[in-house]
């Protein structure tokens, strides 16, 4: 019987080959001049931390979908940044069109879910889907490397599968746990050894909330923090994370009648 890990590895390879051919062989442009960005940042969310803040459930909140348990990092977005710490946003009026990513919906719902009931703000007014927000704010600024909406989402999925941060940490013994805390420096070193570049971690009350990994415009790994040459510099730059951090377990929330109240869950420091 083929293992789930083997199936996922094959899927990652096929996606990489398909998306690379499809997304970077077109000459379509956005048609609006902009200062070209310097690098990509793939922002990942840890559901075990974020879902603790859920007070209410709704059908679109991934924290409440028991059919798709969130046991791995999920995608927040693929962002484009400048080396000076700033970033472009809302670079064109290319509105989100869900019909363009119909073939990706299964993967997006599982690996790129919204972890909130709130609708996301859109670049040119109004509210919309989480995916619409990410495309309009960040995806439209990814030209000339990424050419269109489909390629934006497929590229993010490809990077997510290729650099499986959940597996990297699990293989090193850093597993979700509500009582154990891990040295921040050891987690950073584990990712650096496997990924080949330094990540950026974001914490909330001592628990990992997001993990950012960065790429040059040819999608080769690069450090997320520029100008830091020592481990102390790298760690001190992560002001939101203490020296010891936790990876809370994800506890599925119950969706009842489409909108059920969820009891308040304590912060990880109180467990």
């Amino acid at each position: 019987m083929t293992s789930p890990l083997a199936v996922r590895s094959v899927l990652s390879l096929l996606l990489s080959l398909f998306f690379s051919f499809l997304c970077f062989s077109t000459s379509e442009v956005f048609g609006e001049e902009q200062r070209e960005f310097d690098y990509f940042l793939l922002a990942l969310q840890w559901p075990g931390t974020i879902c603790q803040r859920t007070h209410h459930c709704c059908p679109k909140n991934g924290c409440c979908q028991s059919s798709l348990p969130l046991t791995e990092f999920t995608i927040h977005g693929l962002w484009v940044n400048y080396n000076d710490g700033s970033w472009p946003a809302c670079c064109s009026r290319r509105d989100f069109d869900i019909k363009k990513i119909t073939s990706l919906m299964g993967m997006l719902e599982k690996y790129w879910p919204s972890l909130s009931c709130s609708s996301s703000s859109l670049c040119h007014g109004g509210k919309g889907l989480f995916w619409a927000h990410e495309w309009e704010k960040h995806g439209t600024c990814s030209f000339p490397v990424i050419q269109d909406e489909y390629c934006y989402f497929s590229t993010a999925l490809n990077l997510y599968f290729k650099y499986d941060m959940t597996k990297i940490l699990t293989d090193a013994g850093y597993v979700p746990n509500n009582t154990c805390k891990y040295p921040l420096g050891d987690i950073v070193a584990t990712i650096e050894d496997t990924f080949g570049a330094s990540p950026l971690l974001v914490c909330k009350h001592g628990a990992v909330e997001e993990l950012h990994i960065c790429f040059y415009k040819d999608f080769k790994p690069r450090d997320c923090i520029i100008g830091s040459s020592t481990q102390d510099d790298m760690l001190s730059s992560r002001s939101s994370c203490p020296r010891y951090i936790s990876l809370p377990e994800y506890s599925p929330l119950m969706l009842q009648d489409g909108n059920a109240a969820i009891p308040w869950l304590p912060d990880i420091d109180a467990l």
Side-chain angles (χ1 to χ4, degrees):
M1 181 176 180
T2 305
S3 69
L5 180 59
V7 173
R8 183 162 174 167
S9 297
V10 172
L11 175 62
S12 176
L13 177 60
L14 292 176
L15 286 171
S16 178
L17 293 174
F18 177 73
F19 293 150
S20 295
F21 172 78
L22 185 62
C23 292
F24 310 123
S25 60
T26 176
S27 59
E28 182 180 4
V29 299
F30 290 152
E32 294 186 16
E33 291 187 6
Q34 66 183 61
R35 173 187 165 199
E36 189 172 331
F37 67 96
D38 293 318
Y39 67 97
F40 286 101
L41 184 155
L42 180 65
L44 307 176
Q45 303 179 111
W46 183 248
T49 300
I50 294 174
C51 291
Q52 285 188 340
R53 302 196 297 270
T54 298
H55 295 272
H56 296 83
C57 270
C58 62
K60 68 179 181 180
N61 188 341
C63 293
C64 308
Q65 303 301 321
S66 59
S67 61
L68 294 172
L70 303 175
T71 58
E72 305 171 280
F73 281 102
T74 61
I75 300 172
H76 183 168
L78 181 62
W79 305 339
V80 292
N81 286 4
Y82 296 123
N83 286 330
D84 62 9
S86 63
W87 58 87
C90 302
C91 294
S92 80
R93 282 191 166 272
R94 292 216 162 189
D95 294 336
F96 177 75
D97 182 356
I98 198 168
K99 296 189 294 296
K100 293 181 178 180
I101 55 171
T102 300
S103 62
L104 301 176
M105 288 304 297
M107 288 184 290
L108 291 174
E109 289 172 350
K110 183 174 183 179
Y111 301 112
W112 198 332
S114 171
L115 302 182
S116 171
C117 286
S118 300
S119 295
S120 300
S121 60
L122 302 180
C123 283
H124 308 293
K127 301 282 187 177
L129 294 174
F130 178 44
W131 301 320
H133 169 82
E134 292 299 313
W135 160 248
E136 292 186 11
K137 182 176 181 180
H138 304 289
T140 60
C141 299
S142 60
F143 177 82
V145 180
I146 293 176
Q147 303 287 342
D148 56 40
E149 180 183 320
Y150 179 88
C151 291
Y152 171 73
F153 287 99
S154 60
T155 298
L157 286 166
N158 181 32
L159 294 172
Y160 173 82
F161 289 125
K162 184 175 182 179
Y163 302 101
D164 189 338
M165 291 292 121
T166 305
K167 183 178 185 302
I168 288 173
L169 294 181
T170 300
D171 287 351
Y174 303 115
V175 297
N177 191 302
N178 286 335
T179 59
C180 184
K181 293 193 174 185
Y182 303 112
L184 172 62
D186 290 355
I187 287 182
V188 170
T190 296
I191 295 173
E192 287 176 335
D193 289 345
T194 308
F195 177 62
S198 180
L200 176 66
L201 281 85
V202 178
C203 297
K204 184 81 170 182
H205 300 303
V208 174
E209 185 173 54
E210 294 211 356
L211 169 61
H212 299 170
I213 54 176
C214 298
F215 302 88
Y216 293 105
K217 287 185 285 187
D218 61 0
F219 298 108
K220 293 180 180 178
R222 59 159 276 172
D223 291 343
C224 284
I225 299 178
I226 304 300
S228 296
S229 58
T230 68
Q231 184 76 347
D232 285 342
D233 288 338
M234 299 302 288
L235 296 181
S236 64
S237 297
R238 296 168 172 78
S239 58
S240 66
C241 294
R243 292 284 175 172
Y244 286 84
I245 59 178
S246 59
L247 285 167
E249 290 181 285
Y250 164 71
S251 298
L253 307 175
M254 298 303 294
L255 178 63
Q256 299 172 357
D257 300 325
N259 188 17
I262 300 299
W264 173 254
L265 297 177
D267 289 332
I268 189 65
D269 288 345
L271 295 178

